[in-house]
Amino acid sequence: MSQSTTSIAIINKSAPYGSSNGQESLDMALAMSNFAQDVSVFFMDDGVFQLLLPQDPTTIDAKAYYKTFPALEFYDIENIYVCKQSLIQRSIQTSQLCIPVTLMEFDDLSKLLAKQQHLMSF
Amino acid sequence: MILHKISTSPFTHLALEHCLLRLHSSDGLLLTQDAVYGLRHQSLYSKLSELRCVYVLKEDAHARGVAVENDKIQLVDYAEFVELSLEYEKVMSW
Amino acid sequence: MASFTLLVTSAPFSEQSAYSAYRFALAAAQAKHSINGIFFYQSGTLNGSSLQITPSNEFDLYSAWKKLSQQYQVPLMVCVSAASKRGITTAEDAQDSDNPHFSLAAPFESVGLGELATLISNSDRLLQF
């Protein structure tokens, strides 16, 4: 089978550590980008907790995968969107996030996803 | 033109509520598995009734004894679910 | 006719989603659509365990996946990294790790995430369950 570039949105709705969703979503994003797919990453609802600093998962023997987020741009993943209302609800300022992000309103999601061919959510 | 597929009960999980916050007027909403209990949710039910395209997976609703008593909400079986996924540009699983 | 990739991220039996994916795949195949592949990721990889024993009066999803694969030539791909963390390994993995046990057998295949990228690129729709 031939392979052409497809745009994929990877949507994070889960907090880190309580489930494997965040870590396996990141693995997925890196792999898809590695295999020449155009990847955008979205964080909303509890997913925004994945970006919140400080974190020290060594206390629960979990992998500090949040340290990979700043490297996403080196994997050609440049479009990172975060739901503004999800941050506000959780009293999070953008300055507390581990990477620079683009904020989106509730009703931006559908518009942004409209540009993507496929969606995955974790 | 996204088909939003929900599969968890709105009495326990926030997926349906979170989806409704972000639903675009051209999007569709498909309730499957425990999400069919959304039809018994007093406050969300009125919101669902106002939407243009709400679908409920027939097999999952029948299994749970959940009846659809609203002309605006369409019961679809798996074959129709397949076609629905093609009518919309993409499917988001919440 | 359209082409589909299904991404199954849920464990069998504990939740309904993997079964829902099977029903969707069957309905799509019966409608003459093509299923490019079913990709099992996260806890979905547990669907690949050949060690599942289902009581005879319950629905045997493992056998159903195999039958679907054979009848409609649907590849059943299991993500190797997600699977190995969950005890889903092939005979080859078992040999490599000096472990006498393995749980993944044909028609399920152990593959990398690159296979999913290829499946998606060639599909009209991706559905996650």
Side-chain angles (χ1 to χ4, degrees), chain A residues 75-94:
Chain A
Y75 288 89
D76 291 323
I77 300 174
E78 280 149 9
N79 295 324
I80 300 170
Y81 302 98
V82 171
C83 174
K84 188 177 155 190
Q85 278 84 357
S86 301
L87 292 178
I88 293 170
Q89 277 182 324
R90 291 163 182 77
S91 309
I92 299 172
Q93 315 284 324
T94 47

Side-chain angles (χ1 to χ4, degrees), chain C residues 12 20 25 35 38 47 49 51 59 66-67 74 83-84 86 88 90 93 104 124 126 128:
Chain C
S20 300
I35 313 281
I38 307 203
N47 283 274
S49 172
L51 303 178
F59 184 77
K66 289 203 292 187
K67 196 175 155 207
V74 179
S84 51
R86 292 171 172 88
I88 306 299
T90 61
D93 299 329
L104 193 75
D124 296 314
L126 167 69
Q128 185 177 355

Side-chain angles (χ1 to χ4, degrees), chain A residues 1-8 20-28 31-32 35 37 117-122, chain C residues 7 9 36 39 41-43 81-82 85-86 112-126 128:
Chain A
M1 279 194 279
S2 67
Q3 191 172 321
S4 54
T5 298
T6 308
S7 55
I8 302 173
S20 67
N21 284 345
Q23 193 179 332
E24 292 190 288
S25 167
L26 179 62
D27 289 345
M28 179 66 83
M32 289 302 113
F35 288 96
Q37 308 301 309
Q117 282 168 273
H118 297 294
L119 320 174
M120 297 181 197
S121 68
F122 295 94
Chain C
L7 175 64
T9 48
N36 288 347
F39 194 94
Y41 189 55
Q42 299 192 277
S43 298
S81 56
K85 289 178 187 178
R86 292 171 172 88
L113 283 169
E115 296 292 330
L116 177 63
T118 307
L119 285 180
I120 293 176
S121 298
N122 293 296
S123 298
D124 296 314
R125 292 289 181 277
L126 167 69
Q128 185 177 355

Side-chain angles (χ1 to χ4, degrees), chain B residues 13-78:
Chain B
H13 299 274
L14 297 172
L16 179 56
E17 212 171 306
H18 286 162
C19 171
L20 288 171
L21 288 170
R22 298 172 172 105
L23 200 74
H24 188 264
S25 56
S26 64
D27 290 350
L29 182 65
L30 172 65
L31 304 180
T32 70
Q33 302 180 27
D34 286 348
V36 303
Y37 290 122
L39 298 181
R40 291 188 167 271
H41 195 287
Q42 285 197 332
S43 56
L44 289 178
Y45 185 73
S46 56
K47 277 188 195 169
L48 291 174
S49 308
E50 291 163 15
L51 296 174
R52 208 165 49 88
C53 295
V54 180
Y55 310 93
V56 174
L57 191 63
K58 190 188 281 177
E59 286 84 346
D60 286 341
H62 283 181
R64 291 164 177 80
V66 172
V68 176
E69 291 152 348
N70 187 328
D71 295 344
K72 290 166 84 181
I73 296 177
Q74 300 171 56
L75 267 182
V76 294
D77 61 16
Y78 272 99

Side-chain angles (χ1 to χ4, degrees), chain A residues 21-119:
Chain A
N21 284 345
Q23 193 179 332
E24 292 190 288
S25 167
L26 179 62
D27 289 345
M28 179 66 83
L30 298 178
M32 289 302 113
S33 184
N34 209 14
F35 288 96
Q37 308 301 309
D38 175 15
V39 175
S40 299
V41 182
F42 293 73
F43 293 90
M44 54 195 220
D45 305 327
D46 272 354
V48 301
F49 284 128
Q50 293 186 38
L51 301 174
L52 178 64
L53 292 177
Q55 295 182 34
D56 182 12
T58 58
T59 57
I60 51 170
D61 293 314
K63 186 175 169 182
Y65 71 90
Y66 74 96
K67 290 183 178 169
T68 307
F69 289 132
L72 283 177
E73 59 178 313
F74 302 111
Y75 288 89
D76 291 323
I77 300 174
E78 280 149 9
N79 295 324
I80 300 170
Y81 302 98
V82 171
C83 174
K84 188 177 155 190
Q85 278 84 357
S86 301
L87 292 178
I88 293 170
Q89 277 182 324
R90 291 163 182 77
S91 309
I92 299 172
Q93 315 284 324
T94 47
S95 59
Q96 295 172 281
L97 303 181
C98 63
I99 43 168
V101 299
T102 304
L103 294 180
M104 59 173 184
E105 305 285 340
F106 280 142
D107 52 6
D108 288 339
L109 182 73
S110 229
K111 270 181 273 173
L112 290 166
L113 293 181
K115 296 174 190 163
Q116 313 290 328
Q117 282 168 273
H118 297 294
L119 320 174

